Amino acid sequence: MTIVKPSQLSSSSSSPLCSLKRSLLTLAVLTFLSLFYLSLDSLRTSPPSPIVVGANQLPHTFAKEEDESYSDVYHSPESFRSNYAEMENKFKVYIYPDGDPNTFYQTPRKVTGKYASEGYFFKNIRESRFRTLDPEEADLFFVPVSPHKMRGKGTSYENMTVIVQTYVDGLISKYPYWNRTLGADHFFVTCHDVGVRAFEGSPVMIKNTIRVVCSPSYNVGFIPHKDVALPQVLQPFALPAGGNDVENRTTLGFWAGHRNSKIRVILARVWENDTELDISNNRINRATGHLVYQKRFYRTKFCICPGGSQVNSARITDSIHYGCVPVILSDYYDLPFNDILDWRKFAVVLRERDVHDLKQILKNITQSEFVSLHNNLVKVQKHFQWNSPPVKLDAFHMIMYELWLRHHVIKY
């Protein structure tokens, strides 16, 4: 009988265990070396060629560099980029065909002058991809009645309200679309200062529809989350756009116009004799020279924009076009595209009571701050320009974007 010693037993039992450990270690080393080699090989390999997409397949969106260049002026650049692209691809508007174009409907009175924005919209909506002839696929319905044309034909305020009421009542009785939302998915467009009054005879138009108006004063019925502020643009502009010319702007501030509001009277009384602010209490006489008024925008840093008979003023878009930083002096004014653009990045927004401190407020703005405001102003110029046919990101498309945002929140 052979007796196994304890040392022999321990040695024989540990041998398989050591062998297993060595095998696992070898396997781990080989795995690591294989992965390391594959990683090096992938670094040496050229990246795959990009897929070429046809021009008609490219999404309607911003290029990355364009998106970055606009980051200073939008509240949310990424949201604007993605929502704008979706709007271009999906948004549809039906235009009611009723109404004689030779009277007050369908076509604009004109596309020039201080009420050009209304005319351009009537024209652009028919030139755009947004129009649909099928009301069943429409997101919104356009009521194409023009107070500007009524005004041009000498229609009284009283008759305007009757004409609008009769026209709207006819649409309600003839078509089923109004009653689906009580008019919440309908809109009208007017820039003339009598436009709002023309619709006063139709309470459902005031309460329910989306009002796209140039006089968006939210202390007299304008509802910012429902209605849309239409920029009042005086086109065609007399001179080319200004910008990137800060070295030529040596005048601190400029305003010239009629004293047809309380704030304008105060502005002229306080500052018309100042040596640093160029303030005139009347419009500049054309006899003083050719385009003298417009040329003053080119050499001024800050252009004062007090409200007139309404809160709005075409002087704001004049200032933007000519590269002069607008100074908004108008209470209760829901500025155009205010929920998209950060106006404080390219304008000076003040309360009317700040008029007494106007010069000091402007002088407190450093040169570097002014340059930043001016550069951002150049970035937004295209948003306040009308074109025919409309082009991407112009005033028409910005209005359509505002309407697109509002059609998402219509609930009854």
Side-chain angles (χ1 to χ4, degrees):
M1 178 175 164
T2 304
I3 299 174
V4 180
K5 295 182 180 179
S7 59
Q8 291 176 320
L9 181 62
S10 173
S11 174
S12 62
S13 62
S14 62
S15 180
L17 181 61
C18 292
S19 178
L20 178 60
K21 288 180 178 179
R22 284 193 297 270
S23 298
L24 289 175
L25 180 61
T26 301
L27 180 62
V29 170
L30 290 173
T31 301
F32 173 77
L33 291 174
S34 299
L35 291 174
F36 182 68
Y37 172 79
L38 289 173
S39 298
L40 289 176
D41 188 57
S42 67
L43 291 174
R44 289 193 299 266
T45 305
S46 300
S49 301
I51 299 174
V52 179
V53 181
N56 61 339
Q57 295 174 285
L58 288 171
H60 296 282
T61 184
F62 300 117
K64 185 176 186 298
E65 59 272 15
E66 185 179 16
D67 202 22
E68 290 175 349
S69 70
Y70 277 83
S71 61
D72 291 338
V73 295
Y74 295 136
H75 289 298
S76 178
E78 179 58 29
S79 294
F80 180 59
R81 183 200 64 77
S82 59
N83 287 334
Y84 186 97
E86 185 179 11
M87 174 201 71
E88 284 198 308
N89 291 326
K90 296 182 179 180
F91 196 25
K92 295 297 178 185
V93 172
Y94 179 74
I95 306 172
Y96 282 110
D98 302 63
D100 182 359
N102 294 317
T103 56
F104 316 119
Y105 312 98
Q106 302 299 334
T107 57
R109 176 185 172 190
K110 59 181 182 178
V111 291
T112 59
K114 62 181 179 179
Y115 303 118
S117 292
E118 178 181 318
Y120 266 106
F121 187 91
F122 273 73
K123 184 176 176 62
N124 284 172
I125 189 67
R126 287 171 169 78
E127 300 172 319
S128 73
R129 71 175 70 197
F130 303 112
R131 184 185 184 186
T132 178
L133 300 178
D134 180 5
E136 295 299 331
E137 71 172 11
D139 299 296
L140 292 179
F141 295 81
F142 178 38
V143 180
V145 56
S146 171
H148 193 203
K149 292 178 76 173
M150 295 183 197
R151 187 63 171 165
K153 294 180 180 293
T155 309
S156 67
Y157 293 131
E158 293 74 15
N159 286 339
M160 285 184 187
T161 60
V162 174
I163 291 169
V164 170
Q165 181 66 57
T166 302
Y167 181 74
V168 173
D169 287 346
L171 298 181
I172 294 174
S173 62
K174 183 177 180 179
Y175 300 95
Y177 311 112
W178 177 282
N179 291 324
R180 296 189 305 192
T181 63
L182 297 181
D185 55 358
H186 287 55
F187 71 93
F188 67 88
V189 177
T190 179
C191 192
H192 200 286
D193 49 6
V194 303
V196 175
R197 294 181 63 178
F199 285 88
E200 288 178 349
S202 179
V204 292
M205 290 291 287
I206 300 297
K207 174 182 180 294
N208 293 359
T209 64
I210 302 170
R211 298 188 297 163
V212 184
V213 296
C214 278
S215 51
S217 178
Y218 52 83
N219 70 327
V220 290
F222 182 86
I223 305 173
H225 69 270
K226 176 179 78 72
D227 301 327
V228 176
L230 181 66
Q232 186 178 8
V233 184
L234 184 61
Q235 284 191 223
F237 292 108
L239 293 171
N244 303 313
D245 52 4
V246 294
E247 66 280 356
N248 299 328
R249 300 181 178 275
T250 56
T251 301
L252 179 62
F254 165 62
W255 175 78
H258 291 316
R259 295 189 293 180
N260 58 347
S261 67
K262 181 179 179 181
I263 183 59
R264 291 187 176 193
V265 170
I266 297 173
L267 175 66
R269 187 180 69 237
V270 174
W271 298 111
E272 64 179 323
N273 295 318
D274 192 82
T275 57
E276 295 178 275
L277 295 178
D278 183 4
I279 305 296
S280 303
N281 64 3
N282 285 297
R283 290 183 179 176
I284 297 174
N285 194 320
R286 293 181 181 178
T288 60
H290 184 57
L291 299 176
V292 171
Y293 173 76
Q294 289 83 357
K295 290 176 181 177
R296 290 197 187 182
F297 284 89
Y298 283 139
R299 63 172 185 260
T300 305
K301 288 183 174 182
F302 302 98
C303 288
I304 319 304
C305 303
S309 57
Q310 303 289 330
V311 293
N312 57 293
S313 171
R315 188 172 282 99
I316 295 175
T317 51
D318 281 347
S319 301
I320 293 172
H321 174 77
Y322 294 118
C324 183
V325 175
V327 179
I328 313 300
L329 265 178
S330 186
D331 294 343
Y332 309 113
Y333 186 10
D334 189 62
L335 292 161
F337 319 136
N338 194 33
D339 50 351
I340 306 168
L341 301 175
D342 187 349
W343 275 77
R344 296 185 184 278
K345 295 293 183 64
F346 59 89
V348 179
V349 183
L350 303 177
R351 297 161 296 187
E352 290 183 4
R353 68 187 186 192
D354 294 326
V355 65
H356 297 280
D357 302 314
L358 178 61
K359 184 168 76 169
Q360 192 58 50
I361 290 172
L362 298 182
K363 293 184 73 172
N364 286 342
I365 298 174
T366 66
Q367 180 65 13
S368 62
E369 290 171 337
F370 163 68
V371 171
S372 178
L373 289 169
H374 176 84
N375 291 340
N376 287 335
L377 187 69
V378 174
K379 295 177 183 179
V380 303
Q381 284 175 332
K382 63 172 67 177
H383 296 321
F384 297 89
Q385 170 78 43
W386 293 92
N387 303 282
S388 181
V391 301
K392 183 176 181 178
L393 294 171
D394 67 359
F396 171 74
H397 281 87
M398 294 294 283
I399 292 297
M400 295 304 292
Y401 180 76
E402 292 277 24
L403 290 168
W404 166 253
L405 294 180
R406 281 153 179 76
H407 104 273
H408 282 298
V409 297
I410 294 172
K411 292 182 181 180
Y412 258 79

